[in-house]
Amino acid sequence: MGSPTSKDMALAVLVPLPLNVLTIIARFWIRTQRKAWGPDDWAMVATIPVWVVSQVGMIGMAWSGVGQLDSTLTPQQKANSNFEFWCFTLVALKWSLGFTLLRIGDGKKWVQGIIYGCLALVTICTGGTGMYLFFQCTPVEKNWWPETEGSCQPREIQTVLSFLVAAVSITTDWIFAMLPFGLIWKLQMGARVKASVIGLLGLGIFASIAPIVRLKYLLLMNDAAKFLQGLGIILAWAQAEVGIGLLVANLPACRPLLESAIAAFTSTISSKDKSKTGATSAAGKSSYLELGERDPTKKGNSMASRGGVETKVYGTYLGDGSNESLPQPANSQERIIQKQSQNQIHVQTEFGMEFENKQRGNSHHGPAGY
């Protein structure tokens, strides 16, 4: 294959690639085993094809001429150097991250408003920029073959849109990274669990570094003679954002494996403490909390359950020919457990009951409860 024409792009793609693949596999395996599949997992499934196409394109560009002066490249190299698909990958990744935050948002309206607002902004600005880059030339083939007769929009428009994409990425990365603090801090979870979830989701702050650095090089695209040379640096940082973003989206789901690995490396305790830790560890594995779940061992915990328990009381006719009898079975069903709101259930523990002994004159009427 030879050496890459843009080492920055080659490193930005190949370094995070193994970790991305491993975390994707681990995520799907854990969620399947725990039967905890959710919308964020479906969003990641939709992200994978877009991400694969982007990675293949980035690798091809890194070895085809990107990073070199335009005048030193052949027409074929120039054609192979104009395949930008990372915008669509970034949009799909943001949706997966957004659904992850919705999973722990507990149905709060203000959380849904913020997340859906960010996702709409990313989709319009970043996805719209990707569409513009594809259709900026007439005919479209001129994007890849500059010698083709036709016209393209000024490079300055692409530069302005690139600044917009970077600004939106930075803003949404910080919002998504800081939101877990407000969502998880008051949940009925152990301090260690809170710290791990907040830490994993807070890695989005590092993802925001890439678009910040990318801002420095965006003006290089205005120089037609050095367009592909500057594009190599810009796409390298764009790919770094995608690689880190994919890790941030997958790591919260991989928390059981991460906690097991950390426990294995930190098991340097005395034998007495080891026996206690062993019991605690075993309990910890069985009581592992998925995102959005509450710790049942915490006092004051009110777990919101979409299912519920329904108790039905049935009555039958008396068999002695008495005129007084219980209602029909279909009419005597009473729900003594009722869901009053999203996070509360009401249990009716008192009820009235009448019964009549078959021996005449020995009847009893009165309330009963438990």
Side-chain angles (χ1 to χ4, degrees):
M1 181 182 290
S3 59
T5 56
S6 176
K7 293 182 179 179
D8 295 330
M9 280 187 63
L11 291 174
V13 175
L14 297 178
V15 170
L17 187 60
L19 293 175
N20 291 153
V21 174
L22 288 175
T23 54
I24 289 173
I25 295 173
R27 175 203 185 107
F28 292 155
W29 181 78
I30 291 172
R31 288 288 170 84
T32 303
Q33 291 294 312
R34 289 185 50 79
K35 298 180 180 179
W37 197 273
D40 53 333
D41 301 302
W42 286 117
M44 182 55 65
V45 170
T47 301
I48 291 176
V50 186
W51 173 73
V52 170
V53 173
S54 176
Q55 299 306 288
V56 172
M58 287 282 192
I59 292 174
M61 292 171 67
W63 266 267
S64 66
V66 171
Q68 303 297 314
L69 288 173
D70 293 42
S71 58
T72 63
L73 303 178
T74 65
Q76 183 63 49
Q77 286 178 312
K78 292 180 181 179
N80 295 337
S81 300
N82 286 280
F83 182 83
E84 298 183 43
F85 207 72
W86 64 274
C87 287
F88 303 109
T89 308
L90 196 58
V91 172
L93 272 177
K94 295 286 186 177
W95 277 91
S96 181
L97 283 169
F99 281 126
T100 300
L101 293 173
L102 287 173
R103 188 168 189 154
I104 62 177
D106 200 23
K108 295 181 177 66
K109 297 296 183 182
W110 68 271
V111 174
Q112 294 177 355
I114 291 175
I115 293 174
Y116 282 123
C118 289
L119 294 178
L121 189 65
V122 169
T123 303
I124 294 172
C125 296
T126 307
T129 298
M131 295 298 293
Y132 169 82
L133 293 176
F134 188 82
F135 293 106
Q136 65 176 325
C137 294
T138 307
V140 176
E141 291 79 7
K142 191 171 176 61
N143 278 314
W144 303 280
W145 300 97
E147 290 79 10
T148 304
E149 291 186 6
S151 62
C152 294
Q153 298 297 325
R155 292 288 188 190
E156 288 76 13
I157 297 179
Q158 182 177 348
T159 302
V160 171
L161 290 176
S162 297
F163 274 105
L164 176 63
V165 169
V168 170
S169 294
I170 294 168
T171 303
T172 53
D173 283 342
W174 275 90
I175 291 175
F176 283 0
M178 300 305 295
L179 202 55
F181 286 90
L183 294 178
I184 298 177
W185 193 252
K186 293 183 179 180
L187 293 186
Q188 297 294 333
M189 288 183 176
R192 183 177 61 84
V193 178
K194 287 181 181 179
S196 63
V197 176
I198 291 175
L200 292 174
L201 292 173
L203 290 174
I205 294 176
F206 293 99
S208 68
I209 296 175
I212 292 174
V213 177
R214 194 167 71 240
L215 289 171
K216 178 182 177 182
Y217 300 101
L218 290 179
L219 291 176
L220 295 176
M221 292 191 299
N222 292 336
D223 189 345
K226 298 181 180 180
F227 175 75
L228 292 177
Q229 187 180 50
L231 189 63
I233 302 175
I234 294 169
L235 291 183
W237 284 104
Q239 174 58 35
E241 182 181 5
V242 170
I244 297 174
L246 199 64
L247 289 176
V248 173
N250 288 324
L251 285 178
C254 300
R255 190 160 53 88
L257 293 180
L258 294 175
E259 290 182 351
S260 299
I262 292 174
F265 282 109
T266 57
S267 58
T268 54
I269 317 171
S270 63
S271 58
K272 181 179 180 180
D273 291 335
K274 280 183 179 179
S275 61
K276 295 180 180 179
T277 306
T280 304
S281 176
K285 289 182 180 179
S286 62
S287 63
Y288 168 80
L289 296 179
E290 188 57 73
L291 293 179
E293 295 178 353
R294 309 292 186 269
D295 190 347
T297 64
K298 293 291 182 180
K299 293 182 179 180
N301 179 31
S302 57
M303 294 183 65
S305 176
R306 297 184 181 178
V309 179
E310 180 178 273
T311 301
K312 297 181 180 180
V313 180
Y314 297 91
T316 60
Y317 286 107
L318 296 175
D320 60 351
S322 173
N323 292 329
E324 294 182 10
S325 62
L326 293 176
Q328 292 279 359
N331 298 329
S332 65
Q333 299 177 13
E334 296 292 337
R335 294 185 179 182
I336 66 172
I337 298 182
Q338 302 173 354
K339 185 174 181 181
Q340 290 187 327
S341 64
Q342 184 176 3
N343 296 322
Q344 297 179 351
I345 59 173
H346 172 69
V347 181
Q348 181 181 337
T349 59
E350 294 185 2
F351 58 91
M353 182 175 65
E354 294 184 359
F355 66 92
E356 182 176 357
N357 198 319
K358 289 186 177 181
Q359 297 179 358
R360 294 298 179 180
N362 185 16
S363 62
H364 174 74
H365 302 272
Y370 64 92

